Amino acid sequence: MIRVLIFFALLFLATLGFAWMADLPGTIAVSWNGYVWEQPPVVVALVVGIALFAFLIAVWLIRVILKSPQIAGRFFKQRRKDKGYNALSQGLIALGTGNAKQARKHGLEADKLLGEEPATKLLLAQSAQLAGRDDEARQRFEEMLDDPATKPLGLHGLFIEAERHKEPVAARHYAEEAVKASPSLEWAGKAVLGYQAVAHHWEDALKSLERNYAAKLLDKKAYRRQRAVILTALALKLEDGGDPDRAFSLAKEAHGLALDLVPAAVVTARLATRRGDIRKASKVLEATWRLSPHAELAEAYAHVRTGDSAVDRLKRVKTLSSQRANTPEGAMAIAKAAMEAREFDEARAQLKKVLQSEPTRAAFLFMAELEDAETGDKGRMRDWLARAVKAPLDKAWIADGIVSGEWHAVSPVTGKLDAFQWAVPSGLQEDEGMLLEDSLFEAPVLPGPSEAANPEASEQAPVDVTPVKETTADAPKVVELEAGPKAEAASTEQPAEKAAQTQTAAPASAEPAAVAKEGYEGTTDDVRFAPALKDLPDSPTATSEPATQVVSEAAKDTETPENKPDTTAASPEKAEETTAAKETAEPAASKEKTAATDDLNRPIEFPLSRMPDDPGTDDKDGDGEDKPARPRFFN
């Protein structure tokens, strides 16, 4: 709009000038060689303008004719350039679509038409990379290093080639050269920082981080976080290297930069504890616990004061957990401290909270440990261990698919700084649909051993040992056996084969029942609760009293006429022989005693000469003398 107004203003001024000249009086006379030309001023002005225009056209024509070769050369050069850029454009499109052959063809054409064009060199180098011609690509990138304009481009290409061929030393060299050539290159600054961190050159990494922040390659928040991570790693290195004072100052600075960085808080508290500054260590751990509860924080807080008892550690962990209540980490920390303090009820209650809210394998395993420490119940312990197999995984430090039990400053795969995160490993999660009843967390009540029956009352029991029928499942019964001479005398009346047949023959009216076991069946704890045999004879002739069967009070209470053993009904011949033995005199008794002794001294006879898994008896000693056969026992 302004240009239109200016145009009309100039046109108005020109019209006004012509009007003014038309109103001028008089004429203009030009005399030349006797010829006089007289015209008004307006006509003279028009003639002069036309003559000037004709002169300019003549000059232009003369110049065109004189510069026609240059104009023609410039025309063909521009045409060549246009064709070259067109080929370059087509080559870039082919490179983007993955057609290395067409990209190389168009690249060669563009290089022929355009000459020293940097984009053409890049097209040819990248097409060689795409086609797998690494030597050609490396050569073309090295040619770019001669030109200062293309040197960063060549260094970047060589850096990529070095990383592709897994040559970190060369890649780091090219990145450092690129930083020297152009500090504002983001890829070079981050690559140098990453390689220095992977090599644990933390001092150089701090300098590189400062340079990147000065070049505005990262914002202030990222700068503070990365600096805290580097300072923490450097503090850990100095702590192991024997410089705890500098390590403490660096760790304290790292904690101030990132309060939620758990490793920084842990190392700061540990170094403060070494210096005797318990208050500082506690404050650091509490500040980080309120932001991100972690098991390592609880462990460090429990041992912040060396020499404390387990009860003191339990109280301290409860104080820390109360600062951010209802967290699984706090409950697990209290349970662990309570376990060390032998407060099993407290540990069981805390583990119940964890397992009913966020069950993990560590909680199930700790519950099995609690059962073993408190009750020694192997069955319940195995039950918790079986549940731990299918339980969800515990949290761990994860970075780029790597699961680690310890925190590291950089990823071992990509070299990324602050890559490790505290989370559950993905892709390995188990089913979480476990239903845990409250009864599982109740401590079991172990039954006490039953008292033995009165030995005097058991003397009237029959000779044969018959299992007592169990009438109730809640009342365990214990049967204790005593060996006596009456059993030995009875064995003399029958051979070994006949005695075995007589013992297996049971009356029709008697119902055999299994002897109740005391303890936890199906586990190895049965041995601890099984009653021991009492008053066993050292030799067959050690005692002269008849064999007796001692039954516990619980078995005697449940004994009925139906389940009482009837020895006469079981073996009539045995009953007759027993009656005859009672009526005989002392000489007959002595003969029976001698026969019983001989019978008991006989070796045990088996249906087979050797059991399938019996390695055999040592019938001969080293001197070749025969030794008495000894029975073998098998599980």
Side-chain angles (χ1 to χ4, degrees), residues 454-611:
N454 189 1
E456 298 179 357
S458 63
E459 291 180 358
Q460 302 177 358
V463 176
D464 291 343
V465 179
T466 306
V468 179
K469 184 177 181 180
E470 183 177 346
T471 57
T472 58
D474 298 334
K477 305 168 186 60
V478 180
V479 177
E480 299 181 0
L481 304 180
E482 285 190 5
K486 184 176 288 188
E488 300 169 4
S491 64
T492 61
E493 303 292 337
Q494 304 172 353
E497 295 83 357
K498 187 176 180 181
Q501 296 175 2
T502 305
Q503 239 178 2
T504 55
S509 60
E511 298 179 0
V515 179
K517 294 181 180 180
E518 183 178 3
Y520 296 92
E521 298 185 10
T523 67
T524 57
D525 284 354
D526 289 342
V527 180
R528 297 184 359 180
F529 303 103
L533 296 179
K534 300 179 180 179
D535 300 334
L536 291 179
D538 296 335
S539 64
T541 60
T543 60
S544 61
E545 293 296 328
T548 59
Q549 177 187 7
V550 181
V551 185
S552 64
E553 294 297 335
K556 293 173 65 177
D557 293 340
T558 58
E559 186 177 359
T560 60
E562 289 77 13
N563 59 22
K564 285 184 178 180
D566 190 357
T567 57
T568 59
S571 179
E573 295 177 2
K574 185 177 180 181
E576 292 175 3
E577 292 175 358
T578 305
T579 305
K582 291 181 180 180
E583 294 175 354
T584 56
E586 291 294 330
S590 61
K591 291 180 180 180
E592 291 176 358
K593 183 175 182 181
T594 304
T597 304
D598 296 336
D599 187 48
L600 290 176
N601 289 332
R602 291 172 54 193
I604 298 176
E605 296 180 3
F606 292 95
L608 301 175
S609 61
R610 182 179 296 178
M611 296 297 288

Side-chain angles (χ1 to χ4, degrees), residues 387-412:
R387 295 175 184 271
V389 174
K390 298 182 179 180
L393 297 177
D394 302 300
K395 291 183 178 181
W397 293 108
I398 306 172
D400 299 325
I402 302 298
V403 180
S404 174
E406 299 179 356
W407 176 85
H408 298 279
V410 293
S411 170

